Structure formats: structure tokens, C-alpha cells
Amino acid sequence: MLKQWTYCMVMSCTFILLTAKGVYPYLQEKDRSAAVATAYIMKSEGLRWEEAYAVVRAAKPDVGVNPGFEAQLRLYEAMGCSVDVSSPLYKQYRLQMVMEKYLELQDLPQEIFAADPTGMCQTSNTEVLYRCRKCRRSLFRSSSILSHVEGSGPTAFAHKRITDATQLHNHGCDKCTSYFIEPVQWMESILLGVLEGQLLCPKCTSKLGSFSWQGEQCSCGRWVTPAFQVHKSRVDEVTTVLVCDIRGAKV
């Protein structure tokens, strides 16, 4: 009886906590209790997700979590058992959830878009601002870059029949020739209802890169899904400065 009561309390408290934070937006009734109980134990006991799940199964052997919930629990663990909406891991996961529902959506959720830096007050002197190389229009900040694990290099492009694979890596320089970023507000009008296309500067319309909800391959060989990539050769890096108290400061 004590085990059952504890299990129910863990499930109830955790469900309230996590749904309020938006960690499990697509919960299904069947696996909900096991997932939220596991997350609660991870948070309260400092356990890895596999260890916490084993505790739940020991108390109630007939429960389980599906692969979708397992991915969410791994994400929760990777974020230190907290919900950090600024984490690149969280942003990438959120985009993947939108991608799965993309064809059913009438509008894209506003929370997936980073603020347009032209309308923001710069407050950090550690963050890098990226501008269009042609017209100098501010495009995105370093906090919008979604890093990925480096791919296998030239061997990943064998299917493209590229004879000189070293060209892919610019003779030993940076293997990733593009920034993969989260969508920015200036992209909103071109993303809905289109699976893939070009990313153009909203001011001078020069080509910056491309996007694909189905994913694109980075020059390092890694496949990124969904992909919003801006070529490094099309933008310049600028270290931001404190200008909050300067009305009408240029960005």
C-alpha cells in the first residue's frame, strides 16, 4: 500500500510540474505515469534516467515508457533535470516536435522563433551578432546557433560521387561551413506551408543559405533535421556591446 501511495503521489506531483513547464506536450495516457514518475525520481534523487526508471519498474513492474518518452527523459537528463528553454538541446527537440506535426499545422508556434536582433536591446558584451555581409543587416545571435556532433567527413558524401572530397573541408579549415540556427522572426513568412527553400536577407535579398524541415547535410557530413543553415561566407561576426541606455542605437 505504501509503495502504491508513493507511486501515485510521485506521478501526480511530477505531472503538475512538468506539464506546467511544457516538457511533455504530447503525453499519452498509457505511458504518462511511468514517464513523470521517472522524471521526478531523477530530479529528487539525482539519478540517471535508466536508474530512475529501474526504481519505477521495481515498484510497479507492469508500466513502461515508449521510445518517444525515453527520448524526452534523456533530454531532461542532458539538461541537468531542469527545463532550460534557452538550451540548444531543448530548442532542437522543440523543432523536431514541430517537424513531426508540420503538415497538420495552420500556424507555426511563436515560441520556436528567436527574436529579430534588429528589434532587440543589446545587453551582453559576450554574445556575438551575425550580420549580412552585403548590407550589414543584423540576422541572428550566437545564442541561436544549434551545434551538432561533427559528422564522418568525406565518407558521408560517397553517394554524391564527389571525386575530390578534400574540397568539402576547405583544405583542412573549419569542417562546418554553415551555421545551423533556430528560426528567427524575419523567417516566419517564408517557412509556413513550404518544406524547403532559400534563406534570403530580409533587407537586400542576397542569398544566405537554405532551410528544409526534412533536414540537410552539413559539410562535415552530419545530417541535421530540421535544418535552417546560413553559410558562414555570407555573414560577418560582430561582438555586441552594451547599448540599452542609448535610444535608437544601430544594430
Side-chain angles (χ1 to χ4, degrees):
M1 178 64 72
L2 180 59
K3 280 187 176 182
Q4 184 68 20
W5 179 85
T6 302
Y7 181 84
C8 290
M9 286 297 294
V10 166
M11 184 275 291
S12 300
C13 293
T14 310
F15 175 72
I16 293 172
L17 172 64
L18 297 182
T19 51
K21 291 286 190 178
V23 177
Y24 299 105
Y26 306 111
L27 284 173
Q28 297 176 0
E29 197 69 34
K30 181 179 179 181
D31 295 329
R32 174 184 299 166
S33 58
V36 295
T38 300
Y40 179 87
I41 295 172
M42 290 167 61
K43 178 72 172 181
S44 61
E45 302 298 327
L47 299 179
R48 298 176 59 86
W49 94 265
E50 297 95 335
E51 298 168 333
Y53 183 46
V55 173
V56 172
R57 290 296 303 274
K60 196 168 178 62
D62 59 331
V63 300
V65 295
N66 61 36
F69 289 122
E70 178 180 331
Q72 294 170 358
L73 289 168
R74 290 183 182 276
L75 171 64
Y76 189 55
E77 178 183 337
M79 293 193 299
C81 294
S82 64
V83 183
D84 180 7
V85 297
S86 65
S87 166
L89 294 173
Y90 182 90
K91 292 176 181 179
Q92 189 68 50
Y93 171 77
R94 186 171 56 189
L95 285 172
Q96 290 171 348
M97 292 298 98
V98 172
M99 179 197 67
E100 292 178 6
K101 300 286 184 177
Y102 181 76
L103 296 178
E104 305 171 15
L105 296 177
Q106 299 299 317
D107 295 292
L108 292 172
Q110 287 300 305
E111 58 266 23
I112 73 169
F113 292 98
D116 190 329
T118 59
M120 293 177 62
C121 178
Q122 299 179 32
T123 58
S124 173
N125 59 1
T126 60
E127 196 168 23
V128 176
L129 182 67
Y130 294 85
R131 292 175 169 174
C132 173
R133 178 161 291 182
K134 182 177 181 180
C135 71
R136 310 300 294 164
R137 203 271 193 190
S138 299
L139 299 169
F140 61 94
R141 297 175 181 274
S142 54
S143 56
S144 290
I145 296 176
L146 305 179
S147 59
H148 56 267
V149 177
E150 189 176 295
S152 56
T155 58
F157 295 89
H159 64 287
K160 293 188 176 182
R161 300 179 182 178
I162 298 178
T163 55
D164 187 6
T166 59
Q167 293 180 356
L168 295 171
H169 291 227
N170 196 22
H171 301 288
C173 296
D174 192 354
K175 292 184 178 181
C176 298
T177 58
S178 295
Y179 297 110
F180 285 80
I181 65 175
E182 63 181 328
V184 186
Q185 286 175 340
W186 56 264
M187 301 180 188
E188 185 174 0
S189 62
I190 64 174
L191 296 185
L192 188 61
V194 182
L195 286 177
E196 59 185 19
Q198 294 185 344
L199 290 178
L200 306 179
C201 174
K203 182 178 179 180
C204 69
T205 69
S206 62
K207 183 179 178 181
L208 301 171
S210 57
F211 73 91
S212 173
W213 288 100
Q214 297 174 317
E216 291 183 336
Q217 197 167 25
C218 178
S219 57
C220 72
R222 176 65 57 183
W223 191 267
V224 181
T225 307
F228 307 89
Q229 66 167 321
V230 175
H231 301 311
K232 293 182 179 181
S233 61
R234 302 302 177 90
V235 294
D236 289 323
E237 299 181 5
V238 180
T239 302
T240 61
V241 295
L242 183 64
V243 296
C244 278
D245 54 349
I246 304 177
R247 188 178 301 275
K250 293 182 179 181
V251 292

